[in-house]
Amino acid sequence: MKFSLSWLKSHLDTDASLTEITDKLTAIGLELEGVENPADALRPFRVAKVIEAGPHPNADKLQLLKVDDGSDEPWQVVCGAPNARKDMVGVFGPPGTYIPGSDFTLKPAKIRDVESFGMMCSARELELGEDHDGIIELPSDAPVGTSYADYAQLDDPVIDVSITPNRQDCMGVRGIARDLAAAGLGTLKPMDIANIARNGAGPDIAIDDPEGCPAFSGCTVSGVTNGASPDWMQARLKSAGQKPISALVDITNYVTLDQGRPLHVYDVAKLNGGLVARKAQDGEKLVALNDKEYILDETMTVIADQAGAHGIGGIMGGAANGTDGNTTDVLIECAYFDPAHIARTGQKLMLTSDARQRFERGVDPAFLEEGIAIATALVQELCGGTASEITRAGEAPTDQRTIAYDPRQCASLGGLDVSADRQKSILESLGFEILCPREGGDPSPEGTKNNERVMDPGLRRGTWTVTVPTWRRDVTGWQDLVEEVIRIEGLDKVPSVPLPRKPGVAKPTASPEQLAERKARRAAAANGLNEVVNWSFISDKEAAPFGGGSWSLANPISEDLKVMRPSLLPGLIAAAQRNAARGATSIRLFEVGRRYLESSEHPTIGLVLTGENRARSWQAGAATKFDAYDAKAEVLAILDAAGAPTDKLMDFGEAGDHYHPGQSGTLRLGPKKILAAYGVLHPSTTKAMGFKGSAVAAEIFLDAIPLKKKSGHMRDAFAPPALQAVTRDFAFIVDAELPAGDLVRAVKGADKKLITDARIFDLFEGPSVGEGKKSLAVEVTLQPQDATLTEEDLKALSDKVVANAGKLGAGLRG
């Protein structure tokens, strides 16, 4: 939320500096996003006087000006503004100045063969308004050579804060001022609500949907003249990022941002009968103020007349009844909408607005009368007119909660000992009402039973009765009161207290699963992969290539974050695409997270490799891309670090429909226990994800890795073998379709005690080995234990190796 410093000070009487204010905002939980001063962009522009004005020699609609901006010599400027003339004072931008409204930097240029230096500027070019028919005219006594930003007193910094969803009271500038006043940065100014003279009956207003719209109030103002809003209001709206439109529209936007109270104004001439808050008809259509058509259903609340819906209640009005320059009579709507209904409607329609942001958090239900009074007074002040009586329908939920609170709970829960008087002062400055017990008494206030149930019985003596203000929907228990006191007093004042520790040597607390995950993460990072952290939620479209999601959120923050991810790859692919779009040529990403399948959630490591595996060079030539074997190598390294028995893994083909057939596989312990899947992603998968190019990926299923049992003692000392290892080579003719890994496992199984390793070192295919056959050469490592192997031992072992390979149809190559 953005607001200017002067706007804040219209509610807060303070001498605090900008730095003190911004520091305090973050300290009390209103996180500072940034501070900018629009005047900084206008400081290079100067007040200047036209000392000569004559026709351009080569253009009828241009003039040739001599401009004095206080420099040693006047500037020659070619100008096309119709109001440019001799002795006029305006705003001049010298060469080298950036023009924000036109997005370019001034340079000396020739215009119709005449040199021009700088520019006399219009309001639009300086983003001070929409006027572009002529250049800005200043009073004749404006000091020439002065910075225009200083002359026009435009120095008004804009503060941007992030409001958390629970702080609905700070969705208006006044609420932020209240927090700062409570924190000691000044005094909250009293609200000046004018006493409106009302004549005539109010409008016809009714409620047919009390669940969605519990309260609906309105009044009319007749005989208004709709024009531009005053400069002060336009400046405040611009500081908040709003575009001024007209006085009537600007008033509703201003009250929304100033007080956190959304309103709407209807043109009475465009209404057909009275207004009613009702459920929308299934399939009913409405063109909103953003000129988009929305199809409504019976769960949504609308404001309608006899002709149909004119607004999506609490979110956005309709385009058909908006005010314009011909409006003479208006109806001001001030209603209270149920937050849950607003949130569901906004999500269904994928429609957001300033009104929705406030209503779905919960606006002050007791601020209807004040809100409509403020808006009516502004309409009369800026547009004139006569106000009617207020028509009220329904009743807002203004019942106030009371909470039993003992000031000693601040120290017991928050860890900060704040005096009772100070706590009382803080809570009262935030709008809470405090009823302290009488001397020697310990009353049990009504309405606090539910809260007392969670209190420590030892803290009942001295219990206060705290009444929560209607604008603090988020405060429901005494714990919330402690939080209010602590954040205003200062989180930095909470002392650091070490947790108690048992005597003796600390024992490790990480579980075997956590240790395996930690080792796997470190191995991935050590191999040069960059870790990313993605949302656990994805869209239906992203989940579809991976079998779809089994779980969806009932109340997602957006439709694109609705499905609990069945795979880590959608997020990784999206991250790779963002990196590729920013020029990255070699992308190696991994993530440690959870997949959410129908049975349960599963800890997983996902990785994506795309782009260049090896850059082009004079030695290797052209750059090489990643392939399935690169993904497999990463998977094996990570599995080995996590403690998986990689020497026993079996390689099976086809990892799933989202992988490319023939270029993917799975690593398993037996036919059913899958530890990892890897391969080249299918083109249809990358296309569905909006990814350009090819990519290889893998997923390691951490919960499938068999964990070593704790031995309960230190590891055995390393004892290298006393005898030298022996290697023997075997070349087998096998079927061309036989996986090499199957042959290696068969060879190792010949003697698990003596054979410590076996690996493929040669592959040959050709006519000499027969059609449909291939030759695989295996190097076998033998490790003698107690005695050197004799020729007889080696012969017996070789026979076992050949026999085991023969079970797969393999024969020694002659």
Side-chain angles (χ1 to χ4, degrees), residues 118-153:
M119 174 190 288
M120 295 295 290
C121 301
S122 68
R124 185 190 296 179
E125 286 159 343
L126 299 187
E127 295 187 330
L128 296 175
E130 294 302 316
D131 185 10
H132 196 57
D133 295 334
I135 57 179
I136 297 173
E137 292 193 46
L138 300 179
S140 59
D141 59 351
V144 173
T146 304
S147 168
Y148 175 67
D150 296 336
Y151 166 77
Q153 296 181 341

Side-chain angles (χ1 to χ4, degrees), residues 80-146:
N83 62 335
R85 62 190 182 276
K86 182 181 178 182
D87 296 329
M88 173 187 178
V89 178
V91 181
F92 175 69
T97 305
Y98 174 74
I99 307 297
S102 303
D103 190 26
F104 69 85
T105 300
L106 290 172
K107 297 179 180 179
K110 280 190 176 183
I111 301 176
R112 295 290 185 95
D113 297 326
V114 176
E115 287 189 318
S116 179
F117 301 89
M119 174 190 288
M120 295 295 290
C121 301
S122 68
R124 185 190 296 179
E125 286 159 343
L126 299 187
E127 295 187 330
L128 296 175
E130 294 302 316
D131 185 10
H132 196 57
D133 295 334
I135 57 179
I136 297 173
E137 292 193 46
L138 300 179
S140 59
D141 59 351
V144 173
T146 304

Side-chain angles (χ1 to χ4, degrees), residues 272 275 278 284-286 302-311 321:
N272 186 0
L275 290 181
R278 63 166 171 83
E284 189 170 7
K285 297 180 180 179
L286 173 70
V302 296
I303 304 299
D305 63 7
Q306 295 177 8
H310 284 294
N321 52 59

Side-chain angles (χ1 to χ4, degrees), residues 548-553 562-565 596-601:
S550 301
W551 302 95
S552 295
L553 299 181
K562 181 179 180 180
V563 179
M564 303 294 287
R565 61 185 179 189
Y596 300 90
L597 306 183
E598 186 173 359
S599 57
S600 62
E601 59 182 79

